[in-house]
Amino acid sequence: MSLCSHARTRHYRHMGEAEDKTSSTFVQRVSSGRLHAGATIMNPRFWKPDLKADDGPGLVLASVLVGTFLLEMVSGGPIAWGVSSQALREGRWHTLAAHMVAHGGIVHLLMNLGALLALSPVVISRLGNGPAGWVRYGALLVCSGLLGATAYLVLHLDGTIPLIGASGAICGLWGFAARVEADGSFAPLFSKRAGQSTWAFAKANLILFLLFFVVMWGTGTGSGLAWEAHLGGFLFGLLVGPVWGPSTLPIAPFHEGDTDTADRP
């Protein structure tokens, strides 16, 4: 087996097996207790390896979202960050971008962080963990968020209720991941892989919609689910996947401690 094909196989193994430390994500190592005792974020060895791993971009964005949430708490809340038809009529065009990093509460934030950190490694492993891959990842998020906001605004042309949250952008990652096979190739749009992922997306949003409805009905308070933004972001990622990703599979370098050495030249 050639070095190229061997590295490519190891790069995508974590998508199906996730068996060794080098191919696991930061979240997986935390949850399994594989971070050494006394690890601290103040120690560069704690976070530098993860910035170079497939979950690096997701961790950076998660930090931005947490920081923005703290800023919201001391600046009057997230409403001013939200995008709506009324906000645009008032000339607050910055909300088209600002709404993507604002959240309505800690539960809203944690739900989006969980989805972000789960999807980012799959997406970045196909886009490539380098400067070009990070740029593609960021552009995919921004474009998905904008398409999600557009879908929301089109269906609420006279709306005054602001849209906030990164979920439209994150659903773009979900749509992109729906096209990525276990070996890193792109599945056809009307494939079993894409169909199953789309059905899972629909079910998850239906469950969320019902949960939000029950909470609002039972308490008389709460916010609705911006399914329009979710759908717009997801469809963007689903449709542009093969165009957005590089034509060749990213190749991961060998890591010290790899046991599959028999195929090395």
Side-chain angles (χ1 to χ4, degrees), residues 226-246:
W227 61 268
E228 307 93 336
H230 292 189
L231 181 61
F234 180 83
L235 288 178
F236 181 80
L238 183 73
L239 295 174
V240 307
V243 178
W244 211 266

Side-chain angles (χ1 to χ4, degrees), residues 4-201:
C4 178
S5 60
H6 177 82
R8 184 174 299 167
T9 300
R10 286 199 55 78
H11 187 72
Y12 285 98
R13 177 174 294 171
H14 72 280
M15 296 175 64
E17 301 176 12
E19 67 201 36
D20 65 343
K21 183 186 297 185
T22 60
S23 63
S24 61
T25 66
F26 172 80
V27 176
Q28 290 169 333
R29 292 199 299 281
V30 170
S31 62
S32 64
R34 279 182 282 171
L35 282 180
H36 61 80
T40 170
I41 196 171
M42 300 306 294
N43 185 343
R45 288 185 297 178
F46 175 82
W47 49 265
K48 277 189 175 180
D50 294 290
L51 291 182
K52 299 178 181 179
D54 289 342
D55 50 4
L59 289 172
V60 171
L61 181 56
S63 301
V64 171
L65 296 180
V66 171
T68 304
F69 182 73
L70 296 177
L71 180 61
E72 291 174 26
M73 295 176 64
V74 298
S75 62
I79 299 301
W81 301 61
V83 63
S84 65
S85 295
Q86 180 182 11
L88 297 184
R89 286 195 298 268
E90 295 173 353
R92 292 187 283 128
W93 292 92
H94 66 279
T95 58
L96 282 170
H99 83 277
M100 293 185 234
V101 294
H103 289 86
I106 187 65
V107 174
H108 188 196
L109 174 66
L110 291 177
M111 289 176 63
N112 277 347
L113 288 180
L116 174 69
L117 294 176
L119 290 166
S120 291
V122 179
V123 173
I124 202 68
S125 68
R126 186 56 183 85
L127 295 179
N129 189 12
W134 281 56
V135 170
R136 290 191 184 100
Y137 172 85
L140 176 61
L141 279 166
V142 171
C143 291
S144 298
L146 289 175
L147 263 292
T150 299
Y152 177 82
L153 293 170
V154 166
L155 294 176
H156 301 277
L157 293 176
D158 297 318
T160 59
I161 299 176
L163 167 70
I164 55 174
S167 53
I170 294 171
C171 284
L173 299 183
W174 193 343
F176 182 93
R179 300 289 299 274
V180 180
E181 296 279 15
D183 63 357
S185 61
F186 282 114
L189 180 60
F190 296 104
S191 64
K192 182 179 180 180
R193 161 73 179 172
Q196 289 176 336
S197 296
T198 301
W199 177 234
F201 168 81

